[in-house]
Amino acid sequence: MIIRAFQPIPLACIAMALSACATAQLHTNAQLNDAGQRCGLRLGELIQDDSEKRLLLMIRQSPTPDQRVCVIRWARENHLKPVFIQMDFPQS
């Protein structure tokens, strides 16, 4: 009779395997606006497109380095890839 010893899998390995499989979700406008405001952005400057859920778009004329870092951190926490779009808005 052959008895195989059970090898417990370390908890860290399980956590890493599960985090690698995490899929991006489409966040609500309220979630995006809340994250944007915490990063010092105005409403609507942080968006996510239905067709490409993995991308987090920040549209701002001249973002500060702190704003960019904040958006990058939030994107990573939510399994998203940050994309920065700098636009020159017309003066009114």
Side-chain angles (χ1 to χ4, degrees):
M1 176 182 216
I2 299 174
I3 299 176
R4 295 184 184 204
F6 175 71
Q7 296 287 332
I9 300 173
L11 185 59
C13 291
I14 293 171
M16 285 176 48
L18 291 176
S19 67
C21 297
T23 58
Q25 72 172 27
L26 190 62
H27 293 80
T28 65
N29 285 337
Q31 290 171 315
L32 294 171
N33 286 334
D34 183 48
Q37 286 183 320
R38 280 186 274 136
C39 292
L41 305 175
R42 293 187 203 117
L43 297 177
E45 289 184 332
L46 194 62
I47 62 172
Q48 195 176 10
D49 189 25
D50 296 351
S51 62
E52 194 57 58
K53 295 187 293 189
R54 297 179 315 165
L55 301 180
L56 180 67
L57 306 168
M58 183 178 93
I59 302 172
R60 186 161 175 90
Q61 187 156 348
S62 52
T64 65
D66 288 341
Q67 290 171 329
R68 292 174 65 96
V69 168
C70 181
V71 169
I72 290 169
R73 286 186 182 146
W74 194 84
R76 286 184 183 162
E77 290 171 6
N78 291 281
H79 310 285
L80 301 171
K81 179 173 175 51
V83 177
F84 300 98
I85 302 170
Q86 186 168 340
M87 298 182 75
D88 292 326
F89 297 105
Q91 298 291 331
S92 47

